[in-house]
Amino acid sequence: MQELLERNKGLRRRVLIVDDEAIEREMLGSMLSDLYEISYAENGAIALDIIKELKQNLSLIILDLYMPELDGYSLLQVIRTDPYMKRIPVIVLTSEKSSEIKCLKMGAADFIVKPYDEPNLIRARVGHSIELAEDSIIIHETERDSLTGLFNKEFFVEYGMRMDIQNGNIPMDAITIDINHFHIVNELYSRTYGDLILKRIGTAIHNFVRINGGLACRAGGNSFDIYIPHTDDLAERVPEYIADIESIIDDKSISFRMGVYTGVDTDINMERRLECARLACRKLRNSYTTCYAFYSEEMHNKELREERLISDMDRALAEKQFKLYYQPKYNIEGEIPVLSSAEALVRWVHPEFGMISPVEFIPLFEKNGLIQKLDHYVWNEAAAMARHWRDKHGIHLPVSVNVSRVDVFNPMLCELLCEIVKNNELVPEGLLLEITESAYTDNADQIIQTVHNLRELGFKIEMDDFGCGYSSLNMLNSLPIDALKLDMTFIRNISTDKKDYRLVAIMIDIARLLGVPVIAEGVETKEQMELLKEIGCEIIQGYYFSKPLPADEFEILLTTAQI
Ligand code: C2E
Ligand code: CA
Ligand code: CA
């Protein structure tokens, strides 16, 4: 009893007693009035009015079953089916055992048997019912996301694990849903509209798990997780689910992506399954054509390998696992091709994975900015090699290095390159800089300024992969560059495809108009080389002359070549 008093301290909860017998009402009221504020109603209809008026301020209803107007059963029915009233616990007053089951089924919290027992027992029952109801509200509120009403992440994982145990680890499917460019929805249409969309998706997902018997949560801002028992035809039904969700969202400008992991592997836990679905979903981030993807083992292995490469990078730099290969470029204007420079191309000789191509790790390092460290290393090594050729053989061969689009954002880029050139006692013309054309179209102003500054300092800039980056002719005109390097996809079919041949001829004309030489890379055959020479291409790089070579092999080529 002391505990009850404690709990009620400061806040006197209100109890509604509904009974047609005045004497019964008063007896009960007097037992409880020292602990609670009491309201009285003599039938169901009056009770209903009071309940509606008191709303949140009513903590418990004590209800007689047999009354005129609206009886106890009917009132209980009304209370239990109303989303707001149903949180109020109801204790039923009864004199017959037989009605207990019926009332329990209708959602009564407890019973008080007439004639009344011990007052203390009644007070205990009332206190207990209020406490239980309040605790369950608190639980409900903490385990749910307030906007969508779905579980929050923590409880979702907890219940998911329980579900696994209770269902004897039957196979489950995990699905992740993300809204595309949600921040733009918020910015363009206001947060209120964004919230409305989230609510609608919440409703759609709620329906989905209701039908499929699973759990769902709002995993983060605009991301939802679903965990449902596995069905074999999930793959076929995904488009149908997507259409359902779309119809509830009811806004054509909003799209989402769905990552699906159909779980046949019962050995991996729920978090892992969700992570797999999320991984499949992430793969769709920049896709405009597909809106769902299935997780595969291959996807997972790729992710693991990428993580590994990222974490191994610093050590690889320290241990000089990155090796530079050099591929010669030849000037073909005269009778005999003349070695004019070499492109430094990096490879990773990984202690466990062996030789790794830059095609695999460069895009990965560009995504997280690590490329700056690697490029810095490569530039240093390449410059040191040019110095070595000069000091050992007296050959001044320029070496070209690749400058990633990420490097262009480094405000210290000019200083960095100048320092490298100075430390190796080179001139800026000795370190050619290849910048991919797409970097120009990505961030035109920034790059034009950077390239302008670099050229002022004496560096020569070659625009790499020309033809792939959609520079406009107008833009080309204002571009500060020293050479155009045609993308190798144009060279590939130059001798068999008339259209490609003409395209290359046009690009060479453009270069002529800009007053810069053209470098063709990926030249593999004599025929390609001769065609290029015919239409005025000055410099050739490709397997026809040589593959990229390790430093020692390149040194042999260098010392035997005609420069
Ligand atoms: P890229 O700069 O366009 O380099 C040309 C690529 O074509 C090189 O591939 C080269 O080995 C290859 N190649 C050369 N001649 C031929 C040929 O006749 N036929 C064919 N099929 N291929 C040929 P690699 O070395 O695998 O490099 C791939 C890309 O990785 C490079 O493309 C470049 O974008 C990037 N990369 C390489 N090293 C570095 C670096 O140190 N820093 C940065 N940022 N990127 C680098
Ligand atoms: Ca290049
Ligand atoms: Ca290229």
Side-chain angles (χ1 to χ4, degrees):
M1 198 44 53
Q2 188 57 33
E3 217 177 274
L4 271 177
L5 283 168
E6 281 290 312
R7 196 173 164 102
N8 285 334
K9 220 186 325 181
L11 167 76
R12 278 175 63 86
R13 288 164 174 75
R14 186 168 288 276
V15 171
L16 172 64
I17 298 173
V18 192
D19 198 323
D20 57 330
E21 306 269 351
I23 184 90
E24 307 257 350
R25 287 201 298 272
E26 261 154 47
M27 264 174 66
L28 267 178
S30 65
M31 287 180 208
L32 298 168
S33 59
D34 59 333
L35 289 174
Y36 304 100
E37 295 294 322
I38 310 289
S39 298
Y40 299 95
E42 65 238 41
N43 63 46
I46 296 172
L48 201 55
D49 287 342
I50 296 175
I51 295 166
K52 283 180 182 161
E53 195 191 314
L54 289 174
K55 288 191 189 113
Q56 311 280 22
N57 295 326
L58 187 58
S59 295
L60 180 96
I61 301 165
I62 300 178
L63 182 63
D64 185 29
L65 285 179
Y66 302 106
M67 295 177 298
E69 304 260 336
L70 193 61
D71 71 6
Y73 288 117
S74 314
L75 182 60
L76 194 54
Q77 178 92 40
V78 173
I79 292 171
R80 286 290 147 240
T81 47
D82 180 284
Y84 296 100
M85 289 194 263
K86 74 175 181 198
R87 61 160 197 92
I88 310 168
V90 177
I91 293 182
V92 168
L93 296 171
T94 174
S95 46
E96 357 161 336
K97 269 263 173 244
S98 61
S99 53
E100 285 184 10
I101 306 266
K102 189 172 173 192
C103 293
L104 258 185
K105 280 189 181 156
M106 289 172 73
D110 204 351
F111 303 92
I112 294 175
V113 183
K114 289 181 183 180
Y116 299 133
D117 306 317
E118 238 314 81
N120 274 346
L121 197 62
I122 289 175
R123 286 149 70 97
R125 282 174 179 261
V126 167
H128 182 65
S129 293
I130 292 176
E131 193 178 332
L132 270 182
E134 288 180 353
D135 286 352
S136 96
I137 289 170
I138 291 167
I139 290 169
H140 187 82
E141 280 172 0
T142 46
E143 71 187 16
R144 303 256 167 194
D145 164 51
S146 59
L147 187 66
T148 60
L150 297 174
F151 283 117
N152 63 38
K153 188 65 200 285
E154 207 184 328
F155 282 90
F156 173 73
V157 170
E158 173 66 31
Y159 288 138
M161 289 192 300
R162 268 193 228 169
M163 209 165 156
D164 277 350
I165 294 165
Q166 283 162 3
N167 292 342
N169 279 326
I170 57 161
M172 301 290 286
D173 293 335
I175 302 175
T176 285
I177 295 176
D178 273 0
I179 305 168
N180 291 322
H181 311 297
F182 188 66
H183 63 285
I184 298 179
V185 177
N186 269 336
E187 269 161 37
L188 276 182
Y189 307 111
S190 83
R191 271 197 84 96
T192 321
Y193 187 70
D195 284 354
L196 179 73
I197 294 299
L198 290 172
K199 266 193 211 162
R200 287 187 186 162
I201 294 187
T203 308
I205 291 176
H206 195 83
N207 292 344
F208 179 82
V209 290
R210 197 166 36 86
I211 296 165
N212 293 283
L215 299 168
C217 79
R218 181 167 170 212
N222 61 340
S223 167
F224 300 85
D225 285 341
I226 298 172
Y227 194 54
I228 47 170
H230 173 72
T231 44
D232 283 336
D233 62 348
L234 182 68
E236 292 97 77
R237 283 164 60 193
V238 161
E240 188 188 310
Y241 296 150
I242 290 178
D244 284 352
I245 298 177
E246 272 169 352
S247 76
I248 291 181
I249 295 175
D250 196 25
D251 182 335
K252 293 264 178 299
S253 65
I254 290 173
S255 65
F256 54 87
R257 49 186 189 271
M258 198 183 238
V260 185
Y261 174 49
T262 65
V264 278
D265 183 356
T266 47
D267 288 339
I268 67 169
N269 67 23
M270 162 151 173
E271 295 230 41
R272 266 280 314 280
R273 295 178 191 186
L274 291 172
E275 191 40 54
C276 294
R278 220 164 287 136
L279 177 61
C281 199
R282 268 203 300 276
K283 297 286 162 210
L284 296 168
R285 204 173 275 160
N286 296 315
S287 169
Y288 290 95
T289 45
T290 27
C291 57
Y292 63 93
F294 285 85
Y295 165 82
S296 67
E297 199 60 32
E298 185 195 340
M299 208 180 252
H300 182 62
N301 292 339
K302 185 163 176 272
E303 176 97 347
L304 284 183
R305 181 163 156 119
E306 286 184 359
E307 275 168 18
R308 177 74 194 277
L309 294 184
I310 290 168
S311 73
D312 286 354
M313 195 233 191
D314 275 331
R315 182 151 177 211
L317 277 175
E319 293 179 358
K320 291 189 174 271
Q321 292 170 14
F322 292 105
K323 302 284 180 219
L324 270 61
Y325 276 47
Y326 297 89
Q327 188 176 34
K329 297 179 193 172
Y330 286 88
N331 188 311
I332 55 162
E333 283 174 296
E335 270 297 298
I336 310 159
V338 181
L339 182 61
S340 64
S341 65
E343 179 175 6
L345 292 157
V346 69
R347 275 99 185 84
W348 186 348
V349 186
H350 192 280
E352 194 180 318
F353 303 139
M355 177 86 92
I356 309 175
S357 156
V359 176
E360 181 177 358
F361 61 82
I362 297 284
L364 182 64
F365 292 163
E366 279 184 334
K367 262 192 273 176
N368 50 32
L370 285 176
I371 188 69
Q372 296 196 50
K373 269 202 235 173
L374 177 62
D375 275 348
H376 192 187
Y377 172 87
V378 169
W379 303 338
N380 251 318
E381 292 283 303
M385 190 54 72
R387 176 193 198 169
H388 168 77
W389 295 331
R390 183 196 64 200
D391 293 351
K392 189 167 170 200
H393 307 290
I395 299 171
H396 293 254
L397 187 77
V399 59
S400 68
V401 292
N402 290 286
V403 177
S404 160
R405 71 196 69 220
V406 181
D407 298 317
V408 176
F409 286 105
N410 181 355
M412 300 298 287
L413 181 66
C414 292
E415 283 84 345
L416 213 85
L417 285 163
C418 285
E419 199 182 289
I420 289 173
V421 164
K422 194 167 137 246
N423 289 347
N424 291 288
E425 295 166 10
L426 299 177
V427 286
E429 292 83 352
L431 191 67
L432 306 174
L433 307 177
E434 298 193 9
I435 305 181
T436 180
E437 187 202 3
S438 55
Y440 285 82
T441 31
D442 281 356
N443 38 52
D445 293 345
Q446 169 101 21
I447 202 159
I448 290 174
Q449 188 55 49
T450 308
V451 167
H452 177 80
N453 297 344
L454 287 168
R455 288 181 88 228
E456 292 263 288
L457 293 163
F459 288 100
K460 298 273 184 258
I461 314 292
E462 300 182 347
M463 189 194 256
D464 206 352
D465 311 320
F466 181 67
C468 284
Y470 310 105
S471 315
S472 67
L473 281 180
N474 207 6
M475 184 182 158
L476 274 181
N477 207 17
S478 61
L479 276 185
I481 46 161
D482 301 286
L484 277 188
K485 202 168 174 185
L486 299 188
D487 190 73
M488 65 177 96
T489 50
F490 296 102
I491 311 299
R492 194 169 301 143
N493 301 321
I494 186 177
S495 48
T496 49
D497 187 331
K498 267 253 165 306
K499 249 201 246 148
D500 276 6
Y501 174 78
R502 264 194 235 116
L503 261 179
V504 171
I506 291 171
M507 288 193 271
I508 291 177
D509 277 345
I510 293 173
R512 213 166 274 146
L513 211 74
L514 299 173
V516 295
V518 171
I519 304 163
E521 68 177 332
V523 179
E524 296 184 350
T525 66
K526 188 160 195 272
E527 209 180 347
Q528 290 170 338
M529 200 269 286
E530 278 167 355
L531 277 174
L532 286 160
K533 185 170 179 168
E534 211 176 278
I535 47 180
C537 173
E538 288 92 344
I539 297 166
I540 297 277
Q541 176 183 358
Y543 295 172
Y544 172 66
F545 284 117
S546 168
K547 289 198 167 185
L549 300 171
D552 52 348
E553 286 179 37
F554 185 81
E555 205 165 324
I556 296 169
L557 180 144
L558 178 70
T559 47
T560 52
Q562 182 146 13
I563 299 183

